[in-house]
Amino acid sequence: MTQPTSEPPSSQTIERLTREAVDELSKLGTYEELETWRVAYLGRRGRLTLLLRGLSGLDIDERRLVGSLANEAKGTLEQNLERRSAEIDGAELATSASQDKLDVTLPGRTTPVGRLHPTTQIVREICGVFSDLGFSVVEGPEVEWDHYNFEMLNIPRGHPARDMWNTLWVDYQNEAGEQPMLLRTHTSPMQARVMESSRPPIRVVVPGKCYRYEATDATHEWHFYQVEGLAVDEGITFADLKGTLYEFARRLFGEDRKVRFRCDYFPFVEPGVDMSIDCFACEGEGDGCRICRDSGWIEIMGAGMVHPKVLAGVGYDPEKYTGFAFGLGPERIAMLKYGIEDIRLFYANDLRFLRQF
Ligand code: YSA
């Protein structure tokens, strides 16, 4: 590379310098060499820069002429630098394509796009229906006190109804040697928690995970989701329960669904019911149907009017307030809706299953 010069600026020196610079540039082959060239000619102490600085020593007419030539030269060098850099780009790409066998025309690899788990999808769908009906969505703890999971729901210690829920106790004992903590067996403990922390009117749904010490089979998991519902106010009747749940079934399963309520027992409701919809696979005909096992009906949830003892337990006057509650299993609902035969598929992490949703 030619060293900086202290030649006085003139049209000849500018022309010569431009020629030399362009000639040198055409022989360079790497980005490093380009940078050295740029510093040598256009840098702060580069040849053209120094030449421009020397303009002040010229008389006014000469300065105008040589100054304009010098600026033109600067533009020429910059354009040539840009062009050479683009040429080197192209050459490098061609070399890498031939040497590395890189096919730049191949389409890029597609990034897999994730999606929501089918349980999350159905939980959101269920909560969406209830929020359209005026319910808020709240959540609660999965590790729960015996107090909320059982006692506040009218299931005291020693009550045979405790056998309805096979419980996973947490390894923690209080001073009396009791084990008051557990993995919640249902979302119903949130009924008492919500009522304790707010005043009527109450309309909430509570989605969340539950756990039971259960052998698994096609319809039972040891961990599964529930969606709890609770409405409490003055003057709520069983007709409100039926109307709300009927509308829910219609919106989730379709306009023509029939609904059936039958008596059932839960210690925290009076009266208690289970709710079924007519089987959409066989249109209620039964007759060899795999989904409803010939009954024509599919049970989808437990429900009832909140027991006066539960209302009194949270300090509400059961003479003034009434309410209804319900609890349903979203996986079972998804099984019905999508014809899934085994609940264990939800949590087996088999992508062939999960990708279908
Ligand atoms: C009843 C009345 C109310 O006023 C409020 C709520 C309830 C429901 C009550 N807490 C309960 O847990 N009833 S349940 O034991 O029958 O479970 C409710 C739903 O959870 C079932 O219909 C089922 O869909 C789901 N479920 C229960 N055990 C399950 C399960 N899903 C998968 N695996 C299990 N092991």
Side-chain angles (χ1 to χ4, degrees), residues 289-310:
C289 178
R290 188 181 48 78
I291 305 275
C292 65
R293 295 197 186 97
D294 284 352
S295 71
W297 294 96
I298 303 163
E299 186 188 319
I300 59 167
M301 69 173 97
M305 298 303 289
V306 181
H307 199 290
K309 281 194 180 168
V310 174

Side-chain angles (χ1 to χ4, degrees), residues 33-187:
E33 287 170 354
L34 289 196
E35 179 57 11
T36 313
W37 179 92
R38 189 193 63 76
V39 171
Y41 285 97
L42 299 166
R44 255 179 357 113
R45 296 194 50 73
R47 288 179 64 190
L48 186 64
T49 316
L50 291 179
L51 214 136
L52 277 162
R53 274 191 211 144
L55 289 175
S56 54
L58 302 178
D59 69 49
I60 183 99
D61 290 337
E62 223 178 341
R63 198 186 312 154
R64 197 170 290 141
L65 174 72
V66 179
S68 126
L69 285 174
N71 277 328
E72 239 172 68
K74 190 165 181 242
T76 308
L77 294 200
E78 283 168 351
Q79 277 168 16
N80 275 277
L81 176 63
E82 216 169 283
R83 192 174 317 126
R84 187 74 198 121
S85 171
E87 283 167 7
I88 291 177
D89 267 350
E92 289 209 341
L93 200 63
T95 313
S96 105
S98 65
Q99 287 177 358
D100 305 342
K101 303 278 185 280
L102 172 73
D103 184 351
V104 289
T105 63
L106 274 179
R109 288 200 184 101
T110 45
T111 313
V113 179
R115 67 194 78 191
L116 293 175
H117 190 276
T119 309
T120 309
Q121 291 185 37
I122 195 82
V123 166
R124 291 194 180 179
E125 199 177 337
I126 292 166
C127 290
V129 170
F130 282 111
S131 64
D132 288 347
L133 295 176
F135 286 72
S136 325
V137 181
V138 297
E139 288 181 314
E142 289 177 23
V143 181
E144 187 53 282
W145 298 102
D146 178 299
H147 176 75
Y148 285 107
N149 198 82
F150 292 127
E151 304 266 337
M152 295 293 279
L153 294 170
N154 195 27
I155 316 171
R157 250 159 237 281
H159 194 292
R162 287 207 178 204
D163 296 344
M164 288 164 71
W165 290 276
N166 306 312
T167 309
L168 287 159
W169 296 96
V170 171
D171 194 11
Y172 159 77
Q173 292 204 337
N174 66 13
E175 285 160 5
E178 296 159 338
Q179 254 180 315
M181 289 206 93
L182 48 95
L183 296 183
R184 69 176 173 194
T185 54
H186 50 177
T187 42

Side-chain angles (χ1 to χ4, degrees), residues 164-165 185-188 191 212 214 219-222 224-226 228-229 266 268-269 299-304 325-332 343:
M164 288 164 71
W165 290 276
T185 54
H186 50 177
T187 42
S188 298
Q191 288 190 27
R212 293 188 193 176
E214 264 182 355
T219 51
H220 292 83
E221 259 292 1
W222 66 273
F224 53 95
Y225 276 78
Q226 282 191 347
E228 188 82 7
F266 299 98
F268 36 94
V269 285
E299 186 188 319
I300 59 167
M301 69 173 97
F326 55 88
L328 54 88
E331 289 95 344
R332 296 249 183 104
I343 197 170

